[in-house]
Amino acid sequence: MTAPVKKNDRVTVYIEDLTHEGLGVGKVDGYPLFIHGALPKETAEVHVLKTLKSYGYAKMVEIKEPSPDRVEAPCIYFEKCGGCQLQHLSYEAQLQWKENMVRNVMKRIGKIDAPVRPIKGMEHPWNYRNKSQIPFAMSETGPIAGFFKARTHQIVDMERCLIQMSEADIIMANLKKELEKIGIEPYNETTHQGMLRHVIVRTGRATGEVMVVLVTKKRKFPQKDAAVEVIRKLIPHVTSIVQNVNSEKTNVILGKETMTLWGKETIEDTIGDIRFEISARSFYQVNPVQTEVLYNQALEYAGLTGEETVIDAYCGIGTISLFLAKKAKQVMGVEIVEEAIEDAKRNAELNGFTNTYFEAGPAEEVIPRWYQEGKRADVLVVDPPRKGCDQALLNTIIEYKPKRVVYVSCNPSTLARDLHILEDGGYKTMEITPVDMFPQTTQVETVCLMSKKFV
């Protein structure tokens, strides 16, 4: 197909949809142009930036007819920062787009026609992130801190983020001003020089406890005590100050070594009536309000009566496991990260659960062994990373045939792919519920119930 437009052309297009990255999709003679800032149901003049064989990129020149769902983005950094993609779309329209996107992906990729329930949104879709990972760098005018510009490693210097909690704003706006005073040089990822790479702020929404993690290039730095003093002054109610050492040339944020500089090693938070201890390296959902909604939906789909054995694959620190343990006879969790399993055991003990068992290892290896040992699941719950379930785990599910599978997903595309595989293996998708865990972004969480077909 020869592109009907070329670089630097100006054309007027009608915006039909959004991509998963939040780019508007307009077509010229069937040829898609992906346009930053454009919204569905609007007509815009655009400047073509790049053309490929089957699609191209363009930027907005002028909105001829704005979408009825367009709003003014409240964040002053919205046009530069890559953290949010949908602040210029009304929240009601964001929810509708996400719900439709899940429905369309299920049909297109998974050939799934199960009912999709209305998406569960937030009453207040702002200031929800309880964890912020803030990169620091040195500019010509001094230290800067913020978030990366979309698809770059260029930091947008910021004072405030409307989707994170206030303690992270305090650090982002003020700590960079103190760095030069106490002599800490921000890290330069190009030269691999400097000390401070990231500052991570974790907040217990229910408890108010705060952890600040300094990610440094080296273990020893003489300004350690001064840094602790500054942080305690900026956030007087801070609970824990931790140092993590990452000396590698890598984009991975955290290194393997962590030590407590001041206060406790962990902070606590609660989801519903369950308490969790959170360490610097723990995986913990970033939106605790919607996490409770998500887990309650998973619990509803599990259909527990108190007689069931449940296996929780990818159990992490036991967050879903403990919700399930409230109503199950027994919950068995497996997770490849040994530190997370230790956290899960500690969280079960913290909450007084005696009907849980956790083991470290690959789910696709541990679960078959459990079955061979006679430990069979009535319900299997999976909450995999964005890449979806390992093929070996899907094969395990199909082979050992738990009655119900509850699939929690952060990626509709890999969810649809995996559901299709499970349906070919003898399961039926009963119902799907999207949950808006990440307002103002294009991301959506989904909970799905599958039942074994009985012939």
Side-chain angles (χ1 to χ4, degrees):
M1 177 181 180
T2 302
V5 291
K6 60 183 184 298
K7 184 177 179 179
N8 292 326
D9 279 355
R10 285 197 177 193
V11 292
T12 298
V13 294
Y14 177 77
I15 310 303
E16 301 177 7
D17 200 356
L18 294 174
T19 70
H20 69 280
E21 294 180 321
L23 301 176
V25 182
K27 294 181 179 178
V28 179
D29 296 335
Y31 179 83
L33 288 174
F34 300 142
I35 306 149
H36 177 73
L39 291 176
K41 299 185 284 189
E42 60 190 16
T43 302
E45 182 183 353
V46 301
H47 177 193
V48 178
L49 299 174
K50 182 179 182 179
T51 58
L52 301 171
K53 184 176 180 180
S54 55
Y55 61 90
Y57 291 92
K59 67 177 180 180
M60 296 264 282
V61 176
E62 181 184 358
I63 300 174
K64 300 289 188 179
E65 296 181 23
S67 165
D69 300 315
R70 178 176 284 276
V71 296
E72 185 175 348
C75 177
I76 61 173
Y77 308 105
F78 174 66
E79 293 295 332
K80 297 179 180 179
C81 174
C84 297
Q85 302 85 39
L86 299 180
Q87 283 194 20
H88 58 323
L89 183 65
S90 74
Y91 188 55
E92 294 76 14
Q94 289 182 35
L95 293 177
Q96 191 60 58
W97 176 77
K98 290 181 181 185
E99 183 183 315
N100 290 339
M101 186 261 291
V102 169
R103 187 176 286 110
N104 293 337
V105 167
M106 291 305 119
K107 290 180 179 178
R108 188 179 73 253
I109 297 177
K111 313 303 179 188
I112 306 292
D113 60 359
V116 177
R117 289 173 60 176
I119 188 170
K120 297 189 174 186
M122 291 191 77
E123 182 177 352
H124 180 70
W126 303 98
N127 306 111
Y128 59 83
R129 287 191 65 94
N130 60 12
K131 178 184 178 183
S132 296
Q133 301 179 139
I134 305 165
F136 278 69
M138 181 66 78
S139 73
E140 295 179 356
T141 58
I144 59 173
F147 298 106
F148 292 120
K149 187 176 180 180
R151 296 177 292 279
T152 75
H153 271 243
Q154 178 184 337
I155 295 175
V156 178
D157 193 29
M158 298 168 64
E159 302 281 313
R160 185 184 180 201
C161 170
L162 297 183
I163 65 170
Q164 69 184 7
M165 298 181 74
S166 60
E167 287 80 5
D169 285 342
I170 292 170
I171 289 295
M172 194 160 61
N174 296 287
L175 183 58
K176 57 194 172 189
K177 301 173 184 176
E178 303 293 331
L179 292 182
E180 286 186 302
K181 294 180 184 177
I182 60 178
I184 300 179
E185 183 183 357
Y187 178 71
N188 184 317
E189 67 177 13
T190 302
T191 64
H192 197 49
Q193 300 297 312
M195 178 62 71
L196 185 65
R197 300 175 70 128
H198 281 78
V199 175
I200 300 172
V201 184
R202 308 193 74 152
T203 304
R205 189 181 186 98
T207 63
E209 295 189 349
V210 179
M211 172 184 286
V212 176
V213 184
L214 304 175
V215 183
T216 60
K217 178 189 168 186
K218 297 179 180 178
R219 190 180 198 277
K220 294 183 179 180
F221 68 104
Q223 308 90 344
K224 187 180 298 183
D225 292 341
V228 169
E229 184 179 345
V230 166
I231 292 168
R232 292 183 64 191
K233 182 178 179 181
L234 291 175
I235 307 177
H237 59 289
V238 68
T239 311
S240 170
I241 303 175
V242 174
Q243 179 189 2
N244 176 269
V245 182
N246 185 352
S247 58
E248 303 296 322
K249 289 184 177 181
T250 176
N251 292 332
V252 176
I253 293 175
L254 288 172
K256 295 180 180 179
E257 185 180 14
T258 303
M259 38 273 150
T260 303
L261 302 181
W262 181 87
K264 301 196 305 178
E265 291 184 10
T266 62
I267 60 172
E268 282 193 18
D269 198 16
T270 62
I271 301 176
D273 57 357
I274 300 177
R275 298 161 62 196
F276 295 97
E277 280 194 357
I278 307 162
S279 66
R281 291 169 57 86
S282 294
F283 172 78
Y284 186 71
Q285 293 279 11
V286 300
N287 186 338
V289 173
Q290 290 297 89
T291 297
E292 184 173 0
V293 173
L294 183 77
Y295 289 177
N296 280 332
Q297 185 61 60
L299 188 59
E300 176 189 320
Y301 280 166
L304 303 177
T305 65
E307 299 299 319
E308 295 85 1
T309 295
V310 182
I311 290 179
D312 180 10
Y314 308 102
C315 71
I317 66 171
T319 46
I320 294 182
S321 301
L322 300 189
F323 261 68
L324 297 165
K326 294 190 294 184
K327 294 192 175 183
K329 180 180 179 181
Q330 184 184 29
V331 176
M332 302 168 63
V334 58
E335 164 66 51
I336 199 167
V337 180
E338 291 187 10
E339 288 179 347
I341 287 296
E342 293 306 310
D343 286 341
K345 292 176 180 177
R346 187 167 60 249
N347 286 324
E349 183 178 354
L350 181 67
N351 288 277
F353 286 107
T354 58
N355 61 336
T356 58
Y357 171 79
F358 296 100
E359 184 174 333
E364 61 273 13
E365 295 178 10
V366 173
I367 294 173
R369 176 168 52 77
W370 284 349
Y371 271 82
Q372 291 164 10
E373 294 169 354
K375 302 170 183 175
R376 296 184 172 271
D378 303 291
V379 180
L380 191 140
V381 177
V382 295
D383 184 7
R386 289 191 63 79
K387 67 180 181 180
C389 288
D390 188 284
Q391 180 64 51
L393 178 58
L394 296 174
N395 294 341
T396 297
I397 295 170
I398 292 168
E399 180 178 356
Y400 292 103
K401 302 176 177 62
K403 296 175 185 176
R404 288 189 299 283
V405 175
V406 179
Y407 195 135
V408 180
S409 170
C410 59
N411 185 338
S413 296
T414 55
L415 170 64
R417 178 202 66 199
D418 290 352
L419 294 186
H420 185 76
I421 293 170
L422 291 172
E423 288 214 339
D424 285 348
Y427 281 87
K428 180 174 176 58
T429 306
M430 306 302 294
E431 191 173 271
I432 299 166
T433 300
V435 178
D436 190 25
M437 292 282 285
F438 311 101
Q440 319 309 327
T441 80
T442 56
Q443 297 181 60
V444 61
E445 203 92 1
T446 310
V447 194
C448 177
L449 171 63
M450 303 194 82
S451 289
K452 188 76 182 75
K453 293 177 184 176
F454 293 97
V455 180

